[in-house]
Amino acid sequence: MPQQERLALARQQARRIWRLSLPYFQSEEKWRARGLLAGIVVLNLVGVWLLVQFNNWYGVFYDALQNKDQAVFWQQLGHFTLIAFGLIVAAVYRFYLTQLLEMRWRAWMTGSYLKRWTANHAFYRMELARYGQGDGSAPPDNPDQRIQEDLNLFTTYTVSLTMGAFKALVTL
């Protein structure tokens, strides 16, 4: 597949994801959703900054070992403790906020899609259409659970891919 076709396909896919994602961030829960997303972004930035600090720490620490400078060695061990503690706290809160955003987003989308699915008795018409075909096929099993699972995958993958791309870009 040529490069231009791949780029066009990627743009089309990004537009689809945007169209599916945007309603939640414009819904009645928009401020909570935007706040959670902003918190995750800030914690990603803090995490990258701490990784840079950790990288700088390596140089000073190993120079102290090479020069057999005991005072700097102990000072750097204390500095390492602070950096490691900061990384752990940032990672835990980032994980918590990410899970919270995914759960709230998934619950909102599930409610929205189930409301649309049950509107105008779509589920009833779907069953009548399936049975009326005479091909002996059964109606779909548990469409509400299928909706829930698809939305679970969508929210999880969307958040993890966008935050992963953001973190990679900031790290670069």
Side-chain angles (χ1 to χ4, degrees):
M1 179 181 289
Q3 181 73 15
Q4 286 182 331
E5 286 181 35
R6 283 194 296 245
L7 286 174
L9 188 62
R11 278 191 223 110
Q12 183 182 22
Q13 193 69 21
R15 279 191 293 267
R16 286 180 183 162
I17 291 170
W18 182 256
R19 268 195 329 261
L20 287 171
S21 302
L22 194 59
Y24 176 62
F25 291 94
Q26 293 178 335
S27 72
E28 63 280 354
E29 294 187 28
K30 65 184 172 190
W31 296 114
R32 179 173 281 155
R34 292 173 186 177
L36 287 170
L37 187 60
I40 294 167
V41 167
V42 166
L43 287 171
N44 270 315
L45 292 173
V46 167
V48 170
W49 180 78
L50 286 169
L51 287 174
V52 169
Q53 299 306 309
F54 192 60
N55 193 33
N56 292 335
W57 173 85
Y58 270 114
V60 176
F61 180 74
Y62 284 107
D63 284 347
L65 283 177
Q66 178 181 342
N67 298 332
K68 299 178 184 172
D69 189 346
Q70 187 177 13
V72 174
F73 171 81
W74 290 110
Q75 177 191 13
Q76 288 306 307
L77 278 182
H79 194 86
F80 171 81
T81 303
L82 292 175
I83 294 171
F85 182 73
L87 278 169
I88 291 168
V89 168
V92 167
Y93 276 108
R94 184 178 62 231
F95 180 76
Y96 173 74
L97 292 180
T98 301
Q99 294 293 309
L100 190 60
L101 175 63
E102 288 174 10
M103 284 187 335
R104 289 182 183 277
W105 190 7
R106 183 175 66 235
W108 183 88
M109 285 186 83
T110 300
S112 175
Y113 278 80
L114 283 177
K115 187 187 303 181
R116 288 171 54 190
W117 182 70
T118 57
N120 300 321
H121 303 292
F123 59 93
Y124 180 67
R125 288 192 320 236
M126 186 172 68
E127 280 195 39
L128 286 178
R130 288 289 237 175
Y131 281 125
Q133 292 176 352
D135 61 1
S137 62
D141 290 334
N142 305 319
D144 56 328
Q145 292 175 5
R146 290 180 183 205
I147 290 170
Q148 180 271 331
E149 183 58 27
D150 288 346
L151 294 176
N152 178 29
L153 293 173
F154 174 76
T155 56
T156 301
Y157 290 162
T158 301
V159 170
S160 67
L161 286 173
T162 54
M163 286 301 109
F166 175 74
K167 185 175 180 180
L169 182 67
V170 170
T171 302
L172 179 67

